[in-house]
Amino acid sequence: MSELTCHVEIGNTPPAWLEVVKVARHGYQISLSPSAWKKVRCARKAVEKIATSNVPHYGINTGLGALCDVVLKQDELQRLSHHTLMSHACGIGTPLRTEQVRAILCCAVINYSHGYSGISPSVVEGLIRLLNEQITPVVPSRGSVGYLIHMAHIGLALIGHGDVEFRRQQMPAKQALDAIGMPPLTLGPKDGLSLVNGTPAMTGLACLALDDAARLSAWADIIGAMSFEALGGQLNAFMTEVTALKCHPGVQQTGDNLRQLLTDSAHLTRHKGQRLQDALSLRSIPQVHGACRDQFDHAARQVEKELHSATDNPLVVPVENGYQVVSQANPHGASVAMACDLLAIAVCEWSSISERRAYRLVTPQANQLPPFLTTESGVKSGMMIAHYSAASLVADNKRLAQPAVTDNFITSGLQEDHLSFGESAALKLDKTLDNAFYVLAIEYLLASQALDFNDSDDYAKGTSLAWKSLREVLPTYQEEHALHLDIQATYQRLQETQVIDKLLCIAPNLLPSRQPSY
């Protein structure tokens, strides 16, 4: 890629979730447009003026949360920002992945670019420098009830505290900053609060989840088509005249995908009329996968609207005679939390119906294939236990599909008494997606093994391409090595896009819309 195509500029157009993915996952450089920098600097001048006032302004010259009535002296404001990061950096557990921290960093820059935070331009410059220099703060994954903690750990790196990943090594932040010639920042009024406030953490995590869910939706249609063909399904259930009567966009998309992927299957032609009706896990693929796609579209709209929002508290709002500091609740992440919770339900459904199809592929009573997809059943168990693994992962996903946003606690005295758990919802969604990819990997293995056993290979062009793609890296399973190795290799295949890219020529709707409509 050219330097131009590896760069994302924030500020001239409304930011898209895919731009966050480019920066976080693909290493794109990031910058702010001149107009965005102007808004950042104007709001900062207002904060610096307000900081000298004796009138209480929340978070600028007062304490935080339940301490909002404590007015601070001028010489205490830098200490307030410093201590805010130190006290809020109390995350727990396994660190977030590098791409997750980068997504959060990117969303923080986007949040400040709107020009309502009043944060120091040097802080925004520092965050951009961390991204572009590939310095990634080590951020514990657990401990957040809505926001604050993840961003506090990121803020530590800016002032030379905590650990970071740099040049494939973990090291003290100060050492990495020295290596790129970047002095640790001295935070001013409101800087510490602006760093920990807002919804960048949950929004960044959600952007990556959207990218994964888009890929999952494509694979679900591809692998579902393979299982349908291997089991000799009745194509009439996918007729355009039928799916057109279900007035949901996702149903139309999946129905079209299945028709295109299964076009000209001589194998299905031979099975036509063998039964009046297939099991629901086969004939309802458009309706179930389609409903999941519609939830993806909803989540994408909600996440993108959050990217377009200013989510700091307080906000520095332009008024007729200057700026007004307004304490409000824009950092509350209910919209993102609900989007992640609903998408987790959809991901659970994608995995659940995949497990049902996998069951039919290995069950002798449900097909005309060799029992458990081995020609030596008895001495060999074939794919019997692979289905057990899929069932276990789906059971896990059903638990993870319980919403996080409906939970609640009271924190910070009586001040913070309704919490979004948006970061919990996003991290839960991430785990649900990982489980779902493994479930689909197992179905992919089973469907390919089933296609191996049919008398001829006159399958549809689309399903043949997917089947042969797996066979390029994995032969038919003969039980000469542990099956988990094939499951892992197939899972890795699903993280790639080459097969999807090739099949887009056959089924253009495989990937859900990448640009939400408003």
Short mmCIF file of all heavy atoms in Angstrom, two decimals, residues 1 6 8 17-29 97-106 131 134 136 204-216 296 426 429-430 433-434 437 491 494-497 514:
data_model
loop_
_atom_site.label_atom_id
_atom_site.label_comp_id
_atom_site.label_asym_id
_atom_site.label_seq_id
_atom_site.Cartn_x
_atom_site.Cartn_y
_atom_site.Cartn_z
N MET A 1 0.82 -1.20 0.00
CA MET A 1 0.00 0.00 0.00
C MET A 1 0.86 1.25 0.00
O MET A 1 1.94 1.27 0.59
CB MET A 1 -0.91 0.02 1.23
CG MET A 1 -2.06 -0.97 1.16
SD MET A 1 -3.11 -0.89 2.62
CE MET A 1 -2.06 -1.71 3.82
N CYS A 6 -2.35 4.35 3.62
CA CYS A 6 -2.11 3.84 4.97
C CYS A 6 -2.25 4.94 6.01
O CYS A 6 -1.60 4.91 7.06
CB CYS A 6 -0.72 3.21 5.06
SG CYS A 6 -0.55 1.72 4.09
N VAL A 8 -5.06 7.75 8.00
CA VAL A 8 -6.42 8.18 8.30
C VAL A 8 -6.36 9.57 8.90
O VAL A 8 -5.65 9.79 9.89
CB VAL A 8 -7.11 7.21 9.29
CG1 VAL A 8 -8.42 7.80 9.80
CG2 VAL A 8 -7.37 5.86 8.64
N TRP A 17 -16.42 3.59 11.69
CA TRP A 17 -15.84 2.54 12.53
C TRP A 17 -14.74 1.78 11.79
O TRP A 17 -13.78 1.31 12.40
CB TRP A 17 -16.92 1.59 13.05
CG TRP A 17 -17.63 0.73 12.04
CD1 TRP A 17 -18.82 0.99 11.45
CD2 TRP A 17 -17.21 -0.55 11.54
NE1 TRP A 17 -19.17 -0.03 10.60
CE2 TRP A 17 -18.21 -0.99 10.64
CE3 TRP A 17 -16.11 -1.36 11.75
CZ2 TRP A 17 -18.11 -2.21 9.96
CZ3 TRP A 17 -16.01 -2.56 11.08
CH2 TRP A 17 -17.01 -2.98 10.19
N LEU A 18 -14.85 1.70 10.48
CA LEU A 18 -13.82 1.02 9.71
C LEU A 18 -12.48 1.76 9.77
O LEU A 18 -11.42 1.14 9.66
CB LEU A 18 -14.26 0.87 8.26
CG LEU A 18 -14.92 -0.46 7.88
CD1 LEU A 18 -15.41 -0.44 6.45
CD2 LEU A 18 -13.96 -1.63 8.11
N GLU A 19 -12.51 3.08 9.93
CA GLU A 19 -11.27 3.83 10.06
C GLU A 19 -10.56 3.47 11.37
O GLU A 19 -9.33 3.39 11.42
CB GLU A 19 -11.55 5.33 9.98
CG GLU A 19 -12.01 5.78 8.61
CD GLU A 19 -12.32 7.26 8.54
OE1 GLU A 19 -13.11 7.74 9.38
OE2 GLU A 19 -11.80 7.94 7.65
N VAL A 20 -11.34 3.25 12.41
CA VAL A 20 -10.76 2.81 13.68
C VAL A 20 -10.09 1.45 13.49
O VAL A 20 -8.98 1.21 13.99
CB VAL A 20 -11.83 2.74 14.78
CG1 VAL A 20 -11.24 2.20 16.08
CG2 VAL A 20 -12.45 4.11 15.01
N VAL A 21 -10.73 0.56 12.76
CA VAL A 21 -10.17 -0.77 12.50
C VAL A 21 -8.86 -0.65 11.72
O VAL A 21 -7.88 -1.35 12.00
CB VAL A 21 -11.18 -1.65 11.75
CG1 VAL A 21 -10.55 -2.98 11.33
CG2 VAL A 21 -12.40 -1.91 12.62
N LYS A 22 -8.83 0.24 10.75
CA LYS A 22 -7.60 0.42 9.96
C LYS A 22 -6.44 0.84 10.84
O LYS A 22 -5.32 0.35 10.70
CB LYS A 22 -7.84 1.47 8.86
CG LYS A 22 -8.74 0.99 7.73
CD LYS A 22 -9.00 2.12 6.73
CE LYS A 22 -9.89 1.65 5.59
NZ LYS A 22 -10.20 2.76 4.64
N VAL A 23 -6.70 1.76 11.75
CA VAL A 23 -5.64 2.24 12.63
C VAL A 23 -5.25 1.16 13.64
O VAL A 23 -4.08 0.87 13.86
CB VAL A 23 -6.08 3.52 13.36
CG1 VAL A 23 -5.06 3.93 14.42
CG2 VAL A 23 -6.28 4.66 12.35
N ALA A 24 -6.27 0.53 14.25
CA ALA A 24 -6.02 -0.41 15.35
C ALA A 24 -5.45 -1.73 14.87
O ALA A 24 -4.52 -2.27 15.46
CB ALA A 24 -7.32 -0.65 16.11
N ARG A 25 -6.01 -2.24 13.80
CA ARG A 25 -5.70 -3.62 13.37
C ARG A 25 -4.69 -3.67 12.24
O ARG A 25 -3.96 -4.67 12.11
CB ARG A 25 -7.02 -4.29 12.97
CG ARG A 25 -6.92 -5.75 12.62
CD ARG A 25 -8.31 -6.40 12.63
NE ARG A 25 -8.66 -6.86 13.97
CZ ARG A 25 -9.85 -7.33 14.32
NH1 ARG A 25 -10.83 -7.35 13.43
NH2 ARG A 25 -10.07 -7.75 15.55
N HIS A 26 -4.63 -2.63 11.43
CA HIS A 26 -3.79 -2.67 10.24
C HIS A 26 -2.66 -1.64 10.26
O HIS A 26 -1.96 -1.46 9.27
CB HIS A 26 -4.65 -2.51 8.98
CG HIS A 26 -5.76 -3.52 8.89
ND1 HIS A 26 -5.52 -4.87 8.80
CD2 HIS A 26 -7.11 -3.37 8.91
CE1 HIS A 26 -6.68 -5.52 8.75
NE2 HIS A 26 -7.65 -4.63 8.82
N GLY A 27 -2.49 -0.95 11.38
CA GLY A 27 -1.33 -0.09 11.56
C GLY A 27 -1.34 1.20 10.79
O GLY A 27 -0.28 1.81 10.58
N TYR A 28 -2.52 1.68 10.36
CA TYR A 28 -2.57 2.96 9.65
C TYR A 28 -2.10 4.09 10.56
O TYR A 28 -2.34 4.09 11.76
CB TYR A 28 -4.00 3.26 9.19
CG TYR A 28 -4.42 2.58 7.91
CD1 TYR A 28 -4.14 1.23 7.68
CD2 TYR A 28 -5.11 3.27 6.93
CE1 TYR A 28 -4.54 0.60 6.52
CE2 TYR A 28 -5.52 2.66 5.75
CZ TYR A 28 -5.23 1.32 5.55
OH TYR A 28 -5.63 0.70 4.40
N GLN A 29 -1.44 5.08 9.97
CA GLN A 29 -1.08 6.30 10.67
C GLN A 29 -2.34 7.16 10.83
O GLN A 29 -3.29 7.04 10.07
CB GLN A 29 -0.03 7.07 9.88
CG GLN A 29 1.29 6.32 9.69
CD GLN A 29 2.24 6.49 10.85
OE1 GLN A 29 2.71 7.59 11.13
NE2 GLN A 29 2.53 5.40 11.54
N ARG A 97 -5.52 -6.99 24.26
CA ARG A 97 -4.64 -7.20 23.11
C ARG A 97 -4.17 -5.87 22.56
O ARG A 97 -4.82 -4.83 22.74
CB ARG A 97 -5.39 -7.97 22.01
CG ARG A 97 -5.88 -9.35 22.43
CD ARG A 97 -6.40 -10.14 21.23
NE ARG A 97 -7.45 -9.47 20.49
CZ ARG A 97 -8.75 -9.54 20.81
NH1 ARG A 97 -9.14 -10.24 21.86
NH2 ARG A 97 -9.65 -8.92 20.07
N THR A 98 -3.05 -5.89 21.85
CA THR A 98 -2.49 -4.67 21.28
C THR A 98 -3.52 -3.94 20.42
O THR A 98 -3.68 -2.71 20.54
CB THR A 98 -1.25 -5.01 20.43
OG1 THR A 98 -0.25 -5.56 21.28
CG2 THR A 98 -0.70 -3.77 19.74
N GLU A 99 -4.20 -4.65 19.55
CA GLU A 99 -5.17 -4.00 18.66
C GLU A 99 -6.31 -3.37 19.44
O GLU A 99 -6.87 -2.34 19.03
CB GLU A 99 -5.71 -5.00 17.64
CG GLU A 99 -6.50 -6.14 18.24
CD GLU A 99 -7.08 -7.08 17.19
OE1 GLU A 99 -6.66 -7.02 16.00
OE2 GLU A 99 -7.96 -7.87 17.54
N GLN A 100 -6.68 -3.96 20.58
CA GLN A 100 -7.75 -3.38 21.39
C GLN A 100 -7.32 -2.05 22.00
O GLN A 100 -8.09 -1.08 22.01
CB GLN A 100 -8.17 -4.37 22.48
CG GLN A 100 -8.88 -5.61 21.94
CD GLN A 100 -9.19 -6.62 23.03
OE1 GLN A 100 -8.35 -6.92 23.89
NE2 GLN A 100 -10.40 -7.15 23.03
N VAL A 101 -6.09 -2.00 22.51
CA VAL A 101 -5.61 -0.74 23.09
C VAL A 101 -5.48 0.32 22.00
O VAL A 101 -5.84 1.49 22.21
CB VAL A 101 -4.26 -0.96 23.79
CG1 VAL A 101 -3.72 0.36 24.36
CG2 VAL A 101 -4.39 -2.00 24.91
N ARG A 102 -5.01 -0.08 20.83
CA ARG A 102 -4.90 0.88 19.73
C ARG A 102 -6.28 1.41 19.31
O ARG A 102 -6.42 2.60 18.98
CB ARG A 102 -4.19 0.23 18.53
CG ARG A 102 -2.69 0.04 18.75
CD ARG A 102 -2.03 -0.61 17.55
NE ARG A 102 -2.22 0.15 16.32
CZ ARG A 102 -1.52 1.22 15.97
NH1 ARG A 102 -0.57 1.67 16.77
NH2 ARG A 102 -1.76 1.84 14.83
N ALA A 103 -7.29 0.56 19.32
CA ALA A 103 -8.64 1.01 18.99
C ALA A 103 -9.13 2.04 20.00
O ALA A 103 -9.78 3.04 19.63
CB ALA A 103 -9.59 -0.18 18.92
N ILE A 104 -8.84 1.80 21.26
CA ILE A 104 -9.24 2.75 22.31
C ILE A 104 -8.51 4.08 22.12
O ILE A 104 -9.11 5.17 22.21
CB ILE A 104 -8.96 2.16 23.70
CG1 ILE A 104 -9.85 0.93 23.94
CG2 ILE A 104 -9.19 3.21 24.79
CD1 ILE A 104 -9.49 0.14 25.19
N LEU A 105 -7.21 4.02 21.87
CA LEU A 105 -6.43 5.24 21.61
C LEU A 105 -7.03 6.03 20.45
O LEU A 105 -7.18 7.26 20.53
CB LEU A 105 -4.98 4.86 21.28
CG LEU A 105 -4.03 4.59 22.44
CD1 LEU A 105 -2.81 3.82 21.94
CD2 LEU A 105 -3.60 5.89 23.09
N CYS A 106 -7.35 5.33 19.38
CA CYS A 106 -7.90 6.00 18.19
C CYS A 106 -9.22 6.67 18.52
O CYS A 106 -9.47 7.82 18.12
CB CYS A 106 -8.06 4.98 17.06
SG CYS A 106 -8.67 5.68 15.52
N LEU A 131 0.23 6.08 18.88
CA LEU A 131 -0.30 5.26 17.80
C LEU A 131 0.68 5.15 16.64
O LEU A 131 0.98 4.05 16.15
CB LEU A 131 -1.62 5.85 17.29
CG LEU A 131 -2.87 5.55 18.13
CD1 LEU A 131 -4.02 6.44 17.69
CD2 LEU A 131 -3.26 4.09 18.02
N GLN A 134 3.78 3.17 17.26
CA GLN A 134 3.52 1.78 17.66
C GLN A 134 3.93 1.51 19.11
O GLN A 134 4.43 0.43 19.45
CB GLN A 134 4.25 0.80 16.72
CG GLN A 134 3.93 0.96 15.25
CD GLN A 134 2.58 0.36 14.87
OE1 GLN A 134 2.12 -0.60 15.48
NE2 GLN A 134 1.94 0.91 13.85
N THR A 136 2.36 0.84 22.61
CA THR A 136 1.05 0.43 23.09
C THR A 136 1.07 0.23 24.60
O THR A 136 1.76 -0.67 25.10
CB THR A 136 0.60 -0.89 22.43
OG1 THR A 136 0.67 -0.74 21.01
CG2 THR A 136 -0.81 -1.24 22.83
N GLY A 204 -14.07 1.77 21.01
CA GLY A 204 -12.96 1.14 20.29
C GLY A 204 -13.09 -0.37 20.26
O GLY A 204 -12.89 -1.00 19.22
N LEU A 205 -13.40 -0.96 21.41
CA LEU A 205 -13.59 -2.41 21.46
C LEU A 205 -14.73 -2.83 20.56
O LEU A 205 -14.66 -3.87 19.88
CB LEU A 205 -13.86 -2.84 22.91
CG LEU A 205 -12.72 -2.61 23.91
CD1 LEU A 205 -13.21 -2.86 25.34
CD2 LEU A 205 -11.53 -3.50 23.60
N ALA A 206 -15.79 -2.03 20.51
CA ALA A 206 -16.95 -2.37 19.68
C ALA A 206 -16.61 -2.30 18.19
O ALA A 206 -17.11 -3.10 17.40
CB ALA A 206 -18.11 -1.43 20.00
N CYS A 207 -15.75 -1.37 17.80
CA CYS A 207 -15.36 -1.27 16.38
C CYS A 207 -14.67 -2.55 15.92
O CYS A 207 -14.95 -3.06 14.83
CB CYS A 207 -14.44 -0.07 16.17
SG CYS A 207 -15.25 1.54 16.28
N LEU A 208 -13.78 -3.07 16.74
CA LEU A 208 -13.10 -4.32 16.38
C LEU A 208 -14.10 -5.47 16.34
O LEU A 208 -14.02 -6.34 15.47
CB LEU A 208 -11.99 -4.62 17.38
CG LEU A 208 -10.79 -3.68 17.38
CD1 LEU A 208 -9.80 -4.09 18.46
CD2 LEU A 208 -10.10 -3.68 16.02
N ALA A 209 -15.04 -5.48 17.27
CA ALA A 209 -16.06 -6.53 17.28
C ALA A 209 -16.91 -6.48 16.01
O ALA A 209 -17.29 -7.52 15.47
CB ALA A 209 -16.94 -6.40 18.52
N LEU A 210 -17.21 -5.28 15.53
CA LEU A 210 -17.96 -5.16 14.28
C LEU A 210 -17.19 -5.77 13.12
O LEU A 210 -17.77 -6.45 12.26
CB LEU A 210 -18.27 -3.69 13.99
CG LEU A 210 -19.35 -3.02 14.85
CD1 LEU A 210 -19.39 -1.52 14.55
CD2 LEU A 210 -20.72 -3.64 14.59
N ASP A 211 -15.91 -5.51 13.07
CA ASP A 211 -15.09 -6.08 11.99
C ASP A 211 -15.11 -7.61 12.04
O ASP A 211 -15.24 -8.28 11.01
CB ASP A 211 -13.66 -5.56 12.12
CG ASP A 211 -12.83 -5.81 10.87
OD1 ASP A 211 -13.33 -5.58 9.75
OD2 ASP A 211 -11.67 -6.24 11.01
N ASP A 212 -15.00 -8.16 13.24
CA ASP A 212 -15.05 -9.61 13.40
C ASP A 212 -16.43 -10.16 13.05
O ASP A 212 -16.55 -11.20 12.40
CB ASP A 212 -14.69 -10.00 14.83
CG ASP A 212 -13.23 -9.75 15.15
OD1 ASP A 212 -12.41 -9.71 14.22
OD2 ASP A 212 -12.91 -9.58 16.35
N ALA A 213 -17.48 -9.46 13.49
CA ALA A 213 -18.83 -9.93 13.23
C ALA A 213 -19.16 -9.90 11.74
O ALA A 213 -19.90 -10.76 11.23
CB ALA A 213 -19.84 -9.09 14.01
N ALA A 214 -18.64 -8.91 11.02
CA ALA A 214 -18.87 -8.86 9.57
C ALA A 214 -18.26 -10.09 8.90
O ALA A 214 -18.88 -10.71 8.02
CB ALA A 214 -18.26 -7.58 8.99
N ARG A 215 -17.05 -10.43 9.30
CA ARG A 215 -16.40 -11.62 8.74
C ARG A 215 -17.13 -12.89 9.14
O ARG A 215 -17.32 -13.81 8.35
CB ARG A 215 -14.93 -11.66 9.19
CG ARG A 215 -14.10 -12.71 8.47
CD ARG A 215 -12.62 -12.57 8.79
NE ARG A 215 -12.31 -12.88 10.18
CZ ARG A 215 -12.09 -11.97 11.12
NH1 ARG A 215 -12.15 -10.69 10.84
NH2 ARG A 215 -11.79 -12.33 12.36
N LEU A 216 -17.58 -12.94 10.39
CA LEU A 216 -18.33 -14.11 10.87
C LEU A 216 -19.61 -14.30 10.07
O LEU A 216 -19.97 -15.44 9.72
CB LEU A 216 -18.66 -13.94 12.35
CG LEU A 216 -19.37 -15.12 13.01
CD1 LEU A 216 -18.37 -16.21 13.38
CD2 LEU A 216 -20.13 -14.66 14.26
N PHE A 296 -26.43 -6.76 13.33
CA PHE A 296 -25.13 -6.17 13.00
C PHE A 296 -25.33 -4.75 12.49
O PHE A 296 -24.63 -3.82 12.90
CB PHE A 296 -24.42 -7.01 11.94
CG PHE A 296 -23.18 -6.35 11.40
CD1 PHE A 296 -21.94 -6.57 11.99
CD2 PHE A 296 -23.24 -5.48 10.31
CE1 PHE A 296 -20.80 -5.94 11.51
CE2 PHE A 296 -22.11 -4.85 9.82
CZ PHE A 296 -20.89 -5.08 10.43
N ALA A 426 -18.72 -5.00 25.69
CA ALA A 426 -17.85 -5.13 24.51
C ALA A 426 -16.88 -6.29 24.66
O ALA A 426 -16.63 -7.04 23.71
CB ALA A 426 -17.10 -3.83 24.28
N LEU A 429 -18.74 -9.51 24.25
CA LEU A 429 -18.99 -9.73 22.82
C LEU A 429 -17.75 -10.29 22.14
O LEU A 429 -17.85 -11.19 21.29
CB LEU A 429 -19.41 -8.41 22.17
CG LEU A 429 -19.51 -8.37 20.65
CD1 LEU A 429 -20.52 -9.40 20.14
CD2 LEU A 429 -19.90 -6.97 20.18
N ASP A 430 -16.58 -9.78 22.51
CA ASP A 430 -15.33 -10.28 21.93
C ASP A 430 -15.17 -11.78 22.20
O ASP A 430 -14.78 -12.54 21.31
CB ASP A 430 -14.16 -9.49 22.52
CG ASP A 430 -12.81 -9.96 22.00
OD1 ASP A 430 -12.51 -9.72 20.82
OD2 ASP A 430 -12.06 -10.57 22.78
N LEU A 433 -17.66 -13.82 20.10
CA LEU A 433 -17.20 -13.94 18.72
C LEU A 433 -16.12 -15.00 18.58
O LEU A 433 -16.14 -15.80 17.63
CB LEU A 433 -16.68 -12.58 18.23
CG LEU A 433 -17.73 -11.56 17.83
CD1 LEU A 433 -17.18 -10.15 17.87
CD2 LEU A 433 -18.28 -11.88 16.44
N ASP A 434 -15.19 -15.03 19.51
CA ASP A 434 -14.13 -16.03 19.44
C ASP A 434 -14.70 -17.44 19.52
O ASP A 434 -14.33 -18.32 18.75
CB ASP A 434 -13.12 -15.79 20.57
CG ASP A 434 -11.84 -16.59 20.38
OD1 ASP A 434 -11.19 -16.42 19.33
OD2 ASP A 434 -11.50 -17.38 21.27
N PHE A 437 -16.41 -18.30 16.18
CA PHE A 437 -15.48 -18.68 15.11
C PHE A 437 -15.02 -20.13 15.27
O PHE A 437 -14.86 -20.85 14.28
CB PHE A 437 -14.27 -17.74 15.09
CG PHE A 437 -14.49 -16.50 14.27
CD1 PHE A 437 -14.55 -15.25 14.88
CD2 PHE A 437 -14.64 -16.57 12.89
CE1 PHE A 437 -14.76 -14.10 14.13
CE2 PHE A 437 -14.84 -15.43 12.13
CZ PHE A 437 -14.90 -14.19 12.75
N TYR A 491 -9.82 -22.70 12.29
CA TYR A 491 -10.11 -21.42 12.95
C TYR A 491 -9.23 -20.32 12.38
O TYR A 491 -9.71 -19.20 12.10
CB TYR A 491 -9.90 -21.58 14.45
CG TYR A 491 -9.88 -20.30 15.25
CD1 TYR A 491 -11.05 -19.75 15.76
CD2 TYR A 491 -8.67 -19.64 15.52
CE1 TYR A 491 -11.02 -18.58 16.51
CE2 TYR A 491 -8.64 -18.47 16.26
CZ TYR A 491 -9.82 -17.94 16.75
OH TYR A 491 -9.79 -16.77 17.49
N LEU A 494 -10.43 -19.03 9.15
CA LEU A 494 -11.58 -18.14 9.23
C LEU A 494 -11.18 -16.71 9.61
O LEU A 494 -11.99 -15.79 9.48
CB LEU A 494 -12.60 -18.66 10.25
CG LEU A 494 -13.22 -20.03 9.97
CD1 LEU A 494 -14.36 -20.30 10.93
CD2 LEU A 494 -13.70 -20.16 8.53
N GLN A 495 -9.96 -16.53 10.10
CA GLN A 495 -9.49 -15.18 10.41
C GLN A 495 -8.98 -14.46 9.17
O GLN A 495 -8.70 -13.27 9.20
CB GLN A 495 -8.38 -15.23 11.46
CG GLN A 495 -8.74 -15.99 12.73
CD GLN A 495 -10.08 -15.59 13.31
OE1 GLN A 495 -10.33 -14.41 13.53
NE2 GLN A 495 -10.94 -16.57 13.54
N GLU A 496 -8.85 -15.20 8.07
CA GLU A 496 -8.38 -14.62 6.81
C GLU A 496 -9.56 -14.21 5.94
O GLU A 496 -10.70 -14.58 6.20
CB GLU A 496 -7.51 -15.66 6.08
CG GLU A 496 -6.32 -16.15 6.90
CD GLU A 496 -5.67 -17.39 6.31
OE1 GLU A 496 -6.18 -17.90 5.27
OE2 GLU A 496 -4.70 -17.88 6.90
N THR A 497 -9.29 -13.45 4.93
CA THR A 497 -10.38 -12.96 4.06
C THR A 497 -10.24 -13.41 2.61
O THR A 497 -11.08 -13.05 1.79
CB THR A 497 -10.43 -11.42 4.10
OG1 THR A 497 -9.18 -10.90 3.63
CG2 THR A 497 -10.70 -10.91 5.51
N ARG A 514 -20.82 -2.12 5.08
CA ARG A 514 -19.76 -1.50 5.88
C ARG A 514 -20.05 -0.03 6.13
O ARG A 514 -19.35 0.61 6.87
CB ARG A 514 -18.42 -1.66 5.15
CG ARG A 514 -17.94 -3.12 5.04
CD ARG A 514 -17.84 -3.78 6.40
NE ARG A 514 -17.15 -5.05 6.36
CZ ARG A 514 -15.83 -5.20 6.56
NH1 ARG A 514 -15.07 -4.17 6.78
NH2 ARG A 514 -15.28 -6.39 6.54
#
